[in-house]
Amino acid sequence: MNKKSLITISWITFFIGTLNFLFFTGEKTLRLYLVNIVIAGLYSFTIAFGNGFVNDFLSRRYSWVEDTRKRTVLGVISTVIVNVILVFFCNYVNFIVYQKQNAAGFFSGTMGFFNWFTVNVALLISAVLHARGFIKAWKNSTKQEIVQQKLIARSANAQFESLKNQLDPHFLFNSLNVLSALIDENPPQAQRFTASMSKIYRYVLEQKDKELVTVEEEIEFAKTYCNLLKTRFEDSVHFEFNMEENVLKSFVVPLSLQLLLENCIKHNFATSSKPLVIKIYTDGNYLFIENNLQQREQMRESAGIGLSNIVQRYSLLSKQNVFIEKSTEFFRVKIPILTQKISTMTTPTPPESIAYQKAVERVKELKGFYGNLIAYCLVIPFLVFVNLYTSPKHIWFYWPMLGWGIGVGMHALQTFGIGKNWEEKQIQKILNNRK
């Protein structure tokens, strides 16, 4: 128990002892005032330390977040047992040891009623402490989850930005290599290539900061880029486009076709007698880039920027995978067409807003139950006191105590998983186990 808790218990002791001295003690002396403070401290510190020990012990063994039901059941059982023992101990010291009353009447009459009343007050305080511990644990868990989600999102964004920043130097480096070769081979073509490259590079600059572009935009860019490649390779390379109209407004990652077209040129030889045929077409929800396999015999080691860049960007933006197929006759890359544009990246973990909302709903549900329980523990003892004080021969308090008690019990069953939505929870549990 920390220093703050000790100060709080000390203040509670002071107020209870002072109130008891002012309203329930006939003779007003310093000695009796100190006696009231000591007796109040006996109850306050004994019950607080006992419940604190039980609460800390259970919290170390069972988490409020991961083992909510077990923690609650064990908390209720242990709290009832511990509080009954502690209250009986304090009352025995107060009535039998200090006040020298007859021990035979400890469980009957005034002492019996005081036992029952004090147990209810102790249980009420314990319920408040357990509810406070539960809410605090869930808040801490939610805060940790939110921080973790933010870190994951920031890491994913940083990774995505790093991947996009590869596109500028990668495209420029490859284009300058082509231009360098054309200057020696065919200067007029080099001039036309330079003009086309400026238009294409403008598109690169415009699209590289976007997460997704439409299939139509990417295809138009790919056709322009293919014309640029035709300038260099002439009839050594053929391009075939076959696009379905219904997917043109869907989305792909930007510059994916340009990177894959570069990949085809880089890894295959192309001549007029054996042209490289590159097919770009759609089938279902996928965009295909396929070429006849004419692999170069000697190649320097590849940096792997093009294909790996596309795979990594799709992994950050979608759960759909990029497929690569290779045979002795063709090489094919299959990239997903996304039907919905996203404004922020998704990560493999659930969004923080969903996790936070679930936590808020769960805390609200449990606060409702504990509020009901606390109200029951406050009102019922008051009704018992009124009944016994005004008409002790006509006992009626057990009717509201029984009716309301049944309601509290049903509320507990509903809150901890066996209520009206039990069937829905069981169905969801079975579905999750079959995934």
Side-chain angles (χ1 to χ4, degrees), residues 166-181 193 197 201 225 232 258 262 266 300 303 305:
Q166 291 177 356
L167 300 179
D168 269 353
H170 181 256
F171 172 79
L172 187 59
F173 176 77
N174 284 280
S175 298
L176 290 176
N177 279 343
V178 174
L179 181 60
S180 176
F193 184 91
M197 192 181 78
Y201 195 66
Y225 187 69
R232 177 185 175 187
Q258 181 258 329
E262 282 186 5
K266 182 178 180 180
R300 60 184 179 181
I305 292 177

Side-chain angles (χ1 to χ4, degrees), residues 366-389:
L366 283 151
K367 283 176 69 177
F369 166 71
Y370 283 117
N372 192 8
L373 179 63
I374 291 170
Y376 178 81
C377 294
L378 281 174
V379 174
I380 295 301
F382 176 75
L383 293 179
V384 173
F385 174 79
V386 171
N387 183 190
L388 296 179
Y389 184 79

Side-chain angles (χ1 to χ4, degrees), residues 265-309:
I265 299 296
K266 182 178 180 180
H267 292 279
N268 296 274
F269 67 86
T271 63
S272 299
S273 58
K274 296 187 69 174
L276 180 66
V277 180
I278 300 176
K279 299 178 181 179
I280 303 172
Y281 59 95
T282 56
D283 186 6
N285 291 324
Y286 285 91
L287 178 61
F288 292 81
I289 298 88
E290 178 183 330
N291 64 272
N292 56 321
L293 195 63
Q294 299 181 166
Q295 197 165 357
R296 298 176 186 268
E297 293 182 1
Q298 293 183 348
M299 282 191 59
R300 60 184 179 181
E301 186 177 351
S302 172
I305 292 177
L307 194 55
S308 63
N309 184 287

Side-chain angles (χ1 to χ4, degrees), residues 213-426:
V213 296
T214 63
V215 175
E216 186 176 18
E217 288 178 302
E218 190 69 7
I219 291 298
E220 290 301 318
F221 167 72
K223 290 178 177 178
T224 305
Y225 187 69
C226 289
N227 291 332
L228 185 145
L229 293 176
K230 270 284 192 181
T231 303
R232 177 185 175 187
F233 294 101
E234 297 180 339
D235 57 353
S236 298
V237 179
H238 297 312
F239 299 97
E240 297 179 7
F241 288 86
N242 186 14
M243 311 301 299
E244 299 173 351
E245 291 291 332
N246 60 321
V247 300
L248 293 179
K249 299 302 180 183
S250 299
F251 302 94
V252 292
V253 296
L255 306 176
S256 53
L257 289 182
Q258 181 258 329
L259 291 173
L260 292 173
L261 288 169
E262 282 186 5
N263 199 58
C264 294
I265 299 296
K266 182 178 180 180
H267 292 279
N268 296 274
F269 67 86
T271 63
S272 299
S273 58
K274 296 187 69 174
L276 180 66
V277 180
I278 300 176
K279 299 178 181 179
I280 303 172
Y281 59 95
T282 56
D283 186 6
N285 291 324
Y286 285 91
L287 178 61
F288 292 81
I289 298 88
E290 178 183 330
N291 64 272
N292 56 321
L293 195 63
Q294 299 181 166
Q295 197 165 357
R296 298 176 186 268
E297 293 182 1
Q298 293 183 348
M299 282 191 59
R300 60 184 179 181
E301 186 177 351
S302 172
I305 292 177
L307 194 55
S308 63
N309 184 287
I310 296 170
V311 172
Q312 290 180 68
R313 282 195 288 160
Y314 264 106
S315 69
L316 291 172
L317 291 170
S318 171
K319 293 183 179 180
Q320 300 184 58
N321 296 320
V322 176
F323 295 96
I324 302 170
E325 302 173 12
K326 184 178 180 180
S327 70
T328 56
E329 298 180 353
F330 67 87
F331 182 85
R332 178 189 300 149
V333 178
K334 178 181 175 183
I335 62 175
I337 297 174
L338 306 179
T339 56
Q340 184 176 2
K341 190 170 184 179
I342 57 176
S343 56
T344 56
M345 286 187 299
T346 58
T347 60
T349 54
E352 62 188 43
S353 58
I354 297 177
Y356 183 77
Q357 186 62 31
K358 288 182 179 179
V360 169
E361 291 175 358
R362 181 60 178 165
V363 169
K364 187 182 294 185
E365 185 181 42
L366 283 151
K367 283 176 69 177
F369 166 71
Y370 283 117
N372 192 8
L373 179 63
I374 291 170
Y376 178 81
C377 294
L378 281 174
V379 174
I380 295 301
F382 176 75
L383 293 179
V384 173
F385 174 79
V386 171
N387 183 190
L388 296 179
Y389 184 79
T390 57
S391 56
K393 294 183 179 180
H394 302 283
I395 305 300
W396 50 262
F397 69 83
Y398 54 81
W399 291 111
M401 182 174 68
L402 180 62
W404 195 352
I406 293 174
V408 172
M410 296 300 295
H411 195 173
L413 292 176
Q414 178 181 340
T415 302
F416 298 109
I418 323 177
K420 59 184 180 182
N421 56 352
W422 177 83
E423 292 182 1
E424 181 180 343
K425 290 183 178 180
Q426 292 301 313

